[in-house]
Amino acid sequence: MSLLLDARQRAMLAEMGIRVWQPLPEPPSVTRQAEAATARTVPAQAPAQPVVPSTVRPMPAPATAYSPAADAAARPSAQSVAPALPPSQPEPAERATAVAPPASSSAAGPATGHWPAWEALDAARLQQAVADCEACALHTGRHHAVWDARAAGLLAPPAPGTARWMVVLDAPGEAEDAAGLAAAGDPGRLLDHMIAALRLDPAQVYRTHVTKCAVPAARNVTGDEIASCAGCLRREILLVQPTVVVALGRHAVQGLLGRSEPLGTLRGQVYHVAVPTQEAAPDWLAELPVIVSYPLAHLMRHASAKAQAWQDLCLAYAVQRSA
């Protein structure tokens, strides 16, 4: 059985990407009759070979004009061409992986969920996790994760009867990012003077920031960025085990207490660390006293606010003595 295609059918197959090697039909001629007679003289044992003309003849023009619309109608759809998996056959592993939803994050860990829960980390692993953290956008401009290297020994349980302070500051800035040190530059020196005025041992005061990455100078830290570091901040508190916590700034207050009222309204009272209900934490963490005051940058710009900040520190000192 032979299949003869006219010029229009060949054009349609070529548009579909199918190449046809069958020679074009030609009217009978003396030459064709001679070629057929010659083919009949080939011995039976010789393998059959296609007859290729010695010269390439031009393709005759199609009998009807080519119509793109007719061609598209005759062309099979992609759904009919693509092979479908049998109903009982599962999706390939690589396809199932591509559409699988991301793993849910731990309530106490970063929002991305690829870091271990903060409460499972000791001091060294906590600092390494923060140095590698990509839970929020702040990591893209980070030069150093910010820690209080001057009081690194405080990230260990205190001796019985030891009074420790913890000062939580707003998000770090350029000076802290460059040094990798909490409370760097002029604000840090002001905090040192405040600690000395209370006659506290600087080695018993742990300084930290509500986030461990600096915030660009053109904007404030966001609530999502504070939430990404909140679990880490609570883990620091568990490691340091302070007697009292002083929150300097509204972002520090947000990370510790989850509150957004003005500082002038929150000052002069004793608060406690806000611990999520789903987070496993010792009872004393939810009872740890927190005192609210103004951020160091505000105190440097407004000298009159230093008297109010001194009152707040005296309140923290009285709470710590009565603990």
Side-chain angles (χ1 to χ4, degrees), residues 114-142:
H114 60 277
W115 299 117
W118 296 117
E119 67 267 19
L121 304 179
D122 57 20
R125 292 170 60 205
L126 179 66
Q127 294 190 35
Q128 183 60 49
V130 170
D132 298 334
C133 183
E134 298 179 359
C136 72
L138 294 180
H139 81 277
T140 58
R142 174 182 64 210

Side-chain angles (χ1 to χ4, degrees), residues 77-158:
S77 63
Q79 294 179 350
S80 63
V81 174
L85 293 174
S88 60
Q89 182 176 349
E91 284 284 327
E94 62 272 15
R95 190 177 305 173
T97 302
V99 299
S104 59
S105 62
S106 170
T112 54
H114 60 277
W115 299 117
W118 296 117
E119 67 267 19
L121 304 179
D122 57 20
R125 292 170 60 205
L126 179 66
Q127 294 190 35
Q128 183 60 49
V130 170
D132 298 334
C133 183
E134 298 179 359
C136 72
L138 294 180
H139 81 277
T140 58
R142 174 182 64 210
H143 291 93
H144 299 95
V146 177
W147 294 94
D148 188 3
R150 296 165 296 190
L154 295 182
L155 290 173

Side-chain angles (χ1 to χ4, degrees), residues 154-249:
L154 295 182
L155 290 173
T162 301
R164 288 181 173 180
W165 285 52
M166 186 170 185
V167 178
V168 180
L169 309 166
D170 283 344
E174 293 180 358
E176 288 82 10
D177 182 52
L181 187 65
D186 292 338
R189 283 186 283 273
L190 174 59
L191 180 58
D192 291 339
H193 293 323
M194 296 165 67
I195 293 172
L198 289 169
R199 297 183 179 179
L200 298 175
D201 182 359
Q204 295 301 315
V205 180
Y206 184 82
R207 308 158 184 82
T208 190
H209 292 264
V210 70
T211 64
K212 301 301 176 283
C213 298
V215 177
R219 68 173 179 87
N220 289 323
V221 65
T222 67
D224 288 342
E225 291 163 349
I226 293 174
S228 295
C229 268
C232 177
L233 179 60
R234 288 190 292 272
R235 182 56 185 163
E236 284 183 282
I237 296 175
L238 292 176
L239 292 172
V240 174
Q241 300 184 25
T243 310
V244 64
V245 177
V246 179
L248 299 182

Side-chain angles (χ1 to χ4, degrees), residues 169-170 190 247-250 263 293-301:
L169 309 166
D170 283 344
L190 174 59
L248 299 182
R250 64 186 181 92
L263 297 177
S293 191
Y294 295 111
L296 297 176
H298 177 80
L299 299 179
M300 295 181 64
R301 294 193 302 267

Side-chain angles (χ1 to χ4, degrees), residues 267 293-294 299 302-314:
R267 286 183 56 252
S293 191
Y294 295 111
L299 299 179
H302 304 87
S304 59
K306 291 181 180 179
Q308 296 173 310
W310 177 248
Q311 294 174 357
D312 299 330
L313 292 178
C314 290

